[in-house]
Amino acid sequence: MRKKIALVVMTTILISCGKTEEKKQESLYPEKVISAEEKQLALGKEVFNGKGMCYSCHLPEKKVIGPSIKEIAQIYRDRNGDMKAFLLEKAEPIVDPSQYATMKTNFNITKNIPEEELEAVIAYMMSF
């Protein structure tokens, strides 16, 4: 009987020590804390490269079908443009009006992206 009690006590001690050690190891590697801005940019990049399908026409620094993200951001900054209004088809194009017909086919996508995600895409683009 004493051996069983001793075995139970020893097992309990070993298990509890293992849990304490586990907690100590977890605290040595805390999760990286990211800011709200970093979260928004990450979401914007995810939507831009995912369901927004923006990547199919726009690259960061090179014109493909449409202007580069860097060029778009620079023009919107310089002209104090409203990219959100444009993506919702409520404003005229200011970057390259000759590409408007091509972009117009994508308004069905941009108009249906939830507002938080659309704002994240804009923040991502303006970060260039």
Side-chain angles (χ1 to χ4, degrees):
M1 182 71 160
R2 285 185 174 175
K3 287 183 182 181
K4 286 183 181 179
I5 293 174
L7 182 60
V8 170
V9 169
M10 290 301 288
T11 303
T12 304
I13 291 171
L14 287 174
I15 291 172
S16 65
C17 287
K19 287 182 181 178
T20 304
E21 184 61 33
E22 233 176 68
K23 288 180 184 178
K24 284 181 186 176
Q25 285 180 350
E26 287 175 14
S27 66
L28 291 175
Y29 306 102
E31 287 186 35
K32 181 183 178 209
V33 178
I34 60 172
S35 69
E37 181 182 1
E38 289 172 316
K39 285 180 186 177
Q40 185 182 42
L41 292 176
L43 175 61
K45 183 177 182 178
E46 179 183 325
V47 174
F48 185 94
N49 290 315
K51 70 180 177 182
M53 297 183 54
C54 313
Y55 68 91
S56 61
C57 294
H58 304 284
L59 292 178
E61 297 196 24
K62 181 180 177 185
K63 178 179 170 75
V64 185
I65 294 170
S68 71
I69 303 170
K70 191 173 184 178
E71 180 183 0
I72 294 168
Q74 187 63 50
I75 291 171
Y76 270 89
R77 272 192 294 276
D78 291 349
R79 297 185 186 174
N80 199 26
D82 186 348
M83 193 182 304
K84 184 176 179 181
F86 175 71
L87 293 173
L88 294 173
E89 204 175 12
K90 295 179 181 179
E92 295 296 315
I94 63 171
V95 176
D96 187 356
S98 68
Q99 292 284 324
Y100 185 68
T102 303
M103 180 62 190
K104 194 171 177 113
T105 61
N106 295 305
F107 287 131
N108 288 331
I109 295 170
T110 58
K111 285 186 199 177
N112 289 305
I113 294 175
E115 185 174 358
E116 176 187 9
E117 292 178 3
L118 186 61
E119 288 175 2
V121 168
I122 293 166
Y124 170 69
M125 292 179 70
M126 294 304 285
S127 73
F128 283 82

